[in-house]
């Protein structure tokens, strides 16, 4: 990941603070007279390669949205440099905005009394599309997000999931090479969240070849969508790697769901007694087992479990190992 | 083939028109209010007899002719003072401020276009007002179209900076400033809207020279009385110089207010 040309997004030494409170000196003072400030990001570096799906993971208030807004020029950094597709974001904000589509989270980012079509026509025109391109692009992006039936309905009648998909459509209008999503599945039900993740991963990144940077506080989202994840904690990037590599680095613990066809008497206590097993929880014929795999032969452990006559039907690893990574890296209890 | 800037300006105009018309009752009631004002002042003017006090370009006119023209074109000042800050406030309240600012569109174009619908609607309101006043006896037979158009344009250009300054205030302080009350009220008092400036005490008369509305309405009244732009060159020059000075300064002030909001993280706040 070295060399400027290989990077779609590059941020170095980013520091950002906000006024701790608002008083006259906040607006009119200069330098040190502008009052106390609360530092949100400290010396943050970020490098996202082209066509990569990169996740920003952090607890609420970790600075994820602040960082994203600086990348799309909605905020100015106190210090540091940001380059989008090699363009200096602070010096050339208009040019940078032609390279990035930004899908904000939240309910209120559209003109609610206007239809989805009117909203897309407006934002598409501001994204430099002429009339002919606009019609074609609206048809394309609406098909991608599957909102064709709702195109002429006022946005005020849209559900949260539909608004999120419309926000994705808006971000795609100008066909930018880089897409930035701020908590794309926040306030979206699990079914539509899965649809959105599939859309981001399979359609936008894999099929259309977009670079995707998304912020999330959902471990599941980071795990299932992202090629690499940066964990933000206390205003700093505390770890960056592939989700699997992070798990390997920060946590040797794995959780498995073991389904038994038959359980020999005393199975639960024998499971508890196995070396490396830290927790066992039975739900009917399914045992949820937490195992420290360090220095442990997993095949041998399974043989031990079935040695008393218990029959294992299936074994599934639970993908919540990132929770431990998050906790270990940030010292924060995740809300996922 | 339209330029990108023109396409964007027209898109902003169309958006504001659609949103305005989506509040159907408020839209039609505001136009009905224009008719009401024209009729109300017709009856009020009956209390004031014919007098040479209300004369311009060498012609004495009835009070209704004087006040109707002033009230019609006073709407430009109201539109200028209110439209830009209403646009910024609207984006803050609907939550679309950041969505608009993340598009590759210059700030000057965004804020300048934000007043287009208000001015377009003001043209319609002026037309309705004058049409009603015409029925009630307003004499428009001497109107100089070129002078009228020139002063309408100069009025928009000279008064818009006040509105853009107010928009910068909203961007910074997140609340509507009493610009309309302060600037609008004082300008209406000193600008000769309801009575000629000659009726003011001398010290206020000299203050009124600094009020854009004085020159705007003076020029329009002259145009209605048949004066050419050359006849009204004093007022025209005053408005042109103010436009040239204040317009760039107001745009810079707005850009600085947005920059400040980007530094403090208050762009989307309200």
């Amino acid at each position: 990941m070295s060399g400027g040309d290989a990077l779609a997004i590059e941020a170095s030494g980013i520091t950002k603070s906000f006024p701790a409170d608002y008083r006259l000196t906040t607006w009119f003072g200069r330098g040190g007279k502008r009052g106390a400030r609360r530092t949100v990001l400290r010396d943050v570096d970020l490098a996202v390669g082209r066509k990569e799906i990169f996740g920003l993971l952090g607890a609420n208030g970790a600075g994820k949205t602040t960082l994203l807004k600086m990348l799309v020029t909605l905020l100015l950094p106190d210090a540091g440099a940001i380059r989008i597709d090699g363009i200096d974001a602070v010096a050339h904000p208009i040019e940078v905005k032609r390279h990035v589509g930004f899908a904000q989270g939240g309910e209120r980012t559209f003109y609610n009394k206007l239809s989805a079509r009117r909203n897309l026509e407006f934002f598409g025109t501001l994204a430099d599309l002429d009339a002919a391109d606009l019609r074609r692009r609206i048809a394309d992006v609406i098909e991608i997000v599957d909102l064709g039936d709702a195109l002429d309905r006022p946005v005020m009648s849209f559900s949260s999931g539909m608004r999120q998909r419309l926000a994705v459509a808006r971000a795609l209008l100008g066909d930018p090479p880089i897409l930035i999503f701020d908590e794309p599945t926040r306030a979206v039900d699990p079914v539509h969240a899965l649809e959105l993740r599939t859309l981001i991963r399979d359609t936008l990144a894999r099929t259309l070849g977009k670079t995707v940077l998304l912020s999330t506080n959902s471990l599941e989202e980071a795990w299932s969508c992202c090629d690499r994840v940066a964990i933000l904690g206390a205003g700093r990037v505390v770890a960056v790697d592939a989700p699997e590599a992070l798990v390997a680095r920060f946590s040797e613990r794995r959780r498995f769901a073991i389904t038994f066809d038959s359980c020999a008497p005393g199975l639960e206590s024998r499971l508890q007694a196995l070396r490396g097993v830290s927790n066992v929880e039975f739900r009917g014929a399914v045992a949820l087992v937490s195992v420290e795999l360090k220095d442990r032969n997993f095949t041998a452990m399974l043989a031990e479990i079935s040695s008393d006559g218990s029959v294992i039907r299936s074994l599934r690893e639970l993908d919540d190992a990132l929770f431990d990574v998050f906790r270990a890296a940030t010292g924060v209890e995740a809300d996922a | 083939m339209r330029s990108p800037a023109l396409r964007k300006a027209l898109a902003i105009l169309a958006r504001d028109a659609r949103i305005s018309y989506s509040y159907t009752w408020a839209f039609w009631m505001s136009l009905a209010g224009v008719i009401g004002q024209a009729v109300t002042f017709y009856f009020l003017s009956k209390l004031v007899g014919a007098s040479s006090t209300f004369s311009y370009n060498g012609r004495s006119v009835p009070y209704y002719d004087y006040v109707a023209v002033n009230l019609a074109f006073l709407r430009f000042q109201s539109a200028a003072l209110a439209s830009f800050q209403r646009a910024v406030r609207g984006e803050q309240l609907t939550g679309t401020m950041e969505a608009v600012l993340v598009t590759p569109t210059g700030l000057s174009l965004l804020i300048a276009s934000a007043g287009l619908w208000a001015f377009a609607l003001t043209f319609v309101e002026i037309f309705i007002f004058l049409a009603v006043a015409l029925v009630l006896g307003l004499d428009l037979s001497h109107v100089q179209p070129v002078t009228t158009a020139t002063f309408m344009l100069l009025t928009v250009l000279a008064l818009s900076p006040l509105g853009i300054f107010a928009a910068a205030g909203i961007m910074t302080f997140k609340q509507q400033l009493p610009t309309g009350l302060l600037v609008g009220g004082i300008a209406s008092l000193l600008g000769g809207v309801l009575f000629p400036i000659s009726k003011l005490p001398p010290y206020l008369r000299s203050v009124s020279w600094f009020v854009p509305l004085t020159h705007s309405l003076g020029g329009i009244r002259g145009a209605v009385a048949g004066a050419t732009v050359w006849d009204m060159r004093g007022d025209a020059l005053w408005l042109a110089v103010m436009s040239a000075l204040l317009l760039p300064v107001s745009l810079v002030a707005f850009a600085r207010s947005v920059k400040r909001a980007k530094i403090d993280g208050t762009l989307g706040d309200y």
Side-chain angles (χ1 to χ4, degrees):
Chain A
M1 211 54 67
S2 63
D5 289 341
L7 296 176
I9 300 170
E10 189 179 12
S12 55
I14 297 297
T15 296
K16 182 66 192 169
S17 64
F18 296 120
D21 59 5
Y22 288 89
R23 54 185 69 182
L24 275 180
T25 50
T26 307
W27 292 308
F28 300 113
R30 284 184 171 277
K33 292 182 179 173
R34 295 197 62 235
R37 292 179 77 85
R38 178 177 50 88
T39 300
V40 175
L41 293 172
R42 289 182 181 82
D43 202 22
V44 168
D45 294 333
L46 195 68
V48 181
R50 294 188 194 283
K51 302 188 180 183
E52 188 176 20
I53 308 179
F54 193 97
L56 268 183
L57 185 63
N60 293 332
K64 304 184 295 291
T65 300
T66 298
L67 183 54
L68 295 191
K69 284 186 176 179
M70 279 191 284
L71 299 179
V72 298
T73 77
L74 288 174
L75 287 174
L76 287 168
D78 297 348
I82 296 169
R83 299 187 82 80
I84 304 292
D85 257 354
I87 304 162
D88 185 329
V90 175
H92 306 288
I94 296 281
E95 193 53 35
V96 159
K97 286 187 269 191
R98 292 197 172 97
H99 290 246
V100 182
F102 181 45
Q104 288 170 284
E107 292 279 302
R108 298 165 54 256
T109 67
F110 289 97
Y111 301 102
N112 282 336
K113 296 203 80 176
L114 303 184
S115 67
R117 185 194 300 278
R118 294 295 188 207
N119 269 284
L120 292 179
E121 283 173 354
F122 173 71
F123 286 108
T125 305
L126 293 194
D128 290 334
L129 296 174
D130 63 24
D133 284 344
L134 191 56
R135 275 192 296 276
R136 185 176 51 77
R137 284 300 298 163
I138 288 175
D140 289 348
V141 299
I142 277 298
E143 188 182 335
I144 289 171
V145 300
D146 195 22
L147 279 176
D149 293 341
L151 189 56
D152 290 307
R153 275 170 44 190
V155 173
M156 63 166 63
S157 70
F158 278 29
S159 67
S160 298
M162 292 167 78
R163 283 167 198 256
Q164 289 286 17
R165 282 188 281 158
L166 189 60
V168 172
R170 176 171 60 190
L172 287 169
L173 272 176
D175 199 18
I178 300 167
L179 294 168
I180 295 182
F181 299 103
D182 187 13
E183 300 192 15
T185 57
R186 183 174 60 186
V188 179
D189 65 71
V191 174
H192 286 107
L194 183 63
E195 281 180 14
L196 263 173
R197 284 174 199 142
T198 307
L199 170 72
I200 290 169
R201 187 189 57 223
D202 295 347
T203 307
L204 303 182
R206 304 292 180 242
T207 307
L208 298 176
K210 306 288 185 189
T211 302
V212 175
L213 171 61
L214 63 88
S215 75
T216 182
N217 57 15
S218 162
L219 300 163
E220 183 190 355
E221 193 159 280
W223 184 266
S224 63
C225 271
C226 302
D227 300 323
R228 287 193 304 146
V229 173
I231 299 178
L232 274 178
R236 295 177 191 279
V237 174
V238 290
V240 186
D241 216 326
E244 302 82 2
L246 285 173
V247 169
R249 192 193 323 171
F250 284 92
S251 173
E252 289 296 333
R253 196 185 74 151
R254 297 285 197 279
R255 284 183 84 222
F256 297 94
I258 306 171
T259 305
F260 290 92
D261 267 340
S262 65
C263 302
L267 174 62
E268 184 169 354
S269 54
R270 268 201 309 286
L271 281 173
Q272 292 277 20
L274 285 175
R275 184 166 62 83
V277 170
S278 57
N279 187 47
V280 176
E281 183 186 341
F282 260 90
R283 293 181 188 168
V286 180
L288 302 177
V289 182
S290 297
V291 186
E292 293 291 336
L293 284 178
K294 197 174 184 182
D295 304 326
R296 189 77 175 90
N297 183 321
F298 192 64
T299 312
M301 194 176 81
L302 287 177
E304 279 182 60
I305 293 171
S306 53
S307 64
D308 64 349
S310 297
V311 178
I312 297 173
R313 185 201 298 170
S314 64
L315 175 77
R316 182 166 63 91
E317 183 172 359
L318 302 175
D319 54 6
D320 58 357
L322 213 52
F323 178 81
D324 291 335
V325 175
F326 186 89
R327 200 163 47 181
T330 64
V332 174
E333 291 293 326
D335 51 1
Chain B
M1 187 67 86
R2 290 173 183 157
S3 74
L6 181 59
R7 274 204 310 272
K8 291 181 181 187
L10 291 175
I12 292 169
L13 171 67
R15 173 205 62 184
D16 291 341
R18 287 187 180 111
I19 291 174
S20 176
Y21 191 67
S22 72
Y23 296 93
T24 315
W25 269 104
F27 178 79
W28 290 113
M29 290 304 286
S30 73
L31 292 185
V34 175
I35 298 171
Q37 191 187 36
V39 174
T40 302
F41 273 88
Y42 170 73
F43 288 111
L44 274 176
S45 69
K46 298 266 183 201
L47 300 173
V48 184
S51 161
S52 59
T53 306
F54 311 112
S55 69
Y56 36 86
N57 201 32
R59 283 199 321 114
S60 292
V61 295
Y63 179 64
Y64 188 60
D65 283 30
Y66 177 86
V67 81
V69 169
N70 288 340
L71 286 173
F73 288 91
L74 176 66
R75 292 175 177 278
F76 272 129
Q77 175 179 273
S78 310
L81 289 178
S83 61
F84 299 101
Q85 55 177 333
R86 196 185 297 141
V88 170
R89 192 74 181 140
E91 302 284 13
Q92 286 172 339
L93 292 174
T94 53
T96 47
M97 176 66 76
E98 292 185 336
V100 168
L101 289 180
V102 87
T103 65
T105 306
L107 273 179
S108 297
L109 179 63
L110 283 175
I111 191 64
S113 306
L116 287 178
W117 168 242
F119 285 121
L121 191 60
T122 300
F123 272 109
V124 174
E125 288 177 354
I126 290 173
F127 180 82
I128 293 171
F129 191 103
L130 292 179
V132 173
L134 204 58
V135 171
L136 296 174
L138 172 66
D139 180 7
L140 292 177
S141 60
H142 302 279
V143 170
Q144 253 290 339
V146 175
T147 312
T148 309
T150 303
F151 272 91
M152 281 163 71
L153 179 65
L154 286 172
T155 299
V156 169
L157 292 176
L159 293 176
S160 291
L162 303 178
I164 296 173
F165 280 125
I170 280 204
M171 183 62 79
T172 305
F173 301 111
K174 313 298 175 195
Q175 56 184 326
Q176 207 140 357
L177 305 177
T179 332
L181 191 66
L182 287 173
V183 181
I186 292 170
S188 299
L189 174 71
L190 300 176
V193 178
L194 297 177
F195 48 83
I197 293 164
S198 58
K199 294 295 172 195
L200 290 169
Y203 63 94
L204 280 182
R205 226 177 296 158
S206 51
V207 174
S208 78
W209 188 85
F210 294 96
V211 176
L213 194 65
T214 304
H215 304 279
S216 167
L217 293 184
I220 293 286
R221 283 195 304 267
V224 170
T228 62
V229 175
W230 180 252
D231 295 334
M232 309 304 298
R233 59 187 177 279
D235 289 323
L237 189 64
W238 193 100
L239 291 170
V241 169
M242 286 309 285
S243 307
L245 289 177
L246 287 184
L247 208 50
V249 175
S250 67
L251 291 174
V252 168
F254 184 73
R256 286 182 70 95
S257 72
V258 172
K259 186 179 177 185
R260 171 57 62 204
K262 287 183 176 185
I263 290 170
D264 289 345
T266 61
L267 209 48
D269 292 356
Y270 56 91

